[in-house]
Amino acid sequence: MQGNECLHSNIPAERIRGILTLHDITLTAFARAMNMSLSACHYLVSGSSRITSETAVRLSYVLGGTAEQWVRMQYEYELSHVKVDKRSLSRLATTMFNPNKS
């Protein structure tokens, strides 16, 4: 994907790469701006590491958006890849999020 296509990606690493590509920002300049090691930024941009709350705050300041948007994008991406066989689970309670229902 090129920069403009990556700007609309729901994959956090692709979105970051798209912003860097669009603005012609090197990985070294990105790492310096994020006050993170070059290797940590490489793992972030390659998708090998996830966006933590702290990283989200840094990204919001350095690249824009809010920390909440960055965290939400990471969790939505992760949730979309979770595979759980619900048949192997047992329901213990149904009232945690619906206290008025039994």
Side-chain angles (χ1 to χ4, degrees):
M1 280 189 184
Q2 295 299 323
N4 289 338
E5 295 168 350
C6 290
L7 290 175
H8 304 292
S9 176
N10 292 327
I11 302 171
E14 287 182 2
R15 180 81 57 97
I16 295 168
R17 279 197 309 271
I19 294 168
L20 298 181
T21 300
L22 182 67
H23 296 286
D24 212 19
I25 299 169
T26 65
L27 187 59
T28 303
F30 176 59
R32 198 173 301 122
M34 292 283 286
N35 194 26
M36 293 171 61
S37 71
L38 186 59
S39 61
C41 286
H42 167 75
Y43 290 127
L44 186 64
V45 170
S46 69
S48 299
S49 67
R50 59 189 307 279
I51 296 174
T52 63
S53 298
E54 180 182 336
T55 306
V57 171
R58 292 172 188 246
L59 285 168
S60 68
Y61 186 82
V62 172
L63 298 181
T66 66
E68 292 81 5
Q69 288 170 320
W70 287 106
V71 168
R72 189 177 319 111
M73 186 187 321
Q74 180 67 45
Y75 282 109
E76 287 174 1
Y77 174 73
E78 289 174 5
L79 281 172
S80 72
H81 287 81
V82 171
K83 304 286 187 251
V84 175
D85 182 3
K86 292 180 183 176
R87 296 173 299 181
S88 67
L89 306 175
S90 299
R91 190 176 302 273
L92 295 177
T94 59
T95 60
M96 182 174 168
F97 293 104
N98 296 315
N100 296 328
K101 292 184 178 182
S102 8

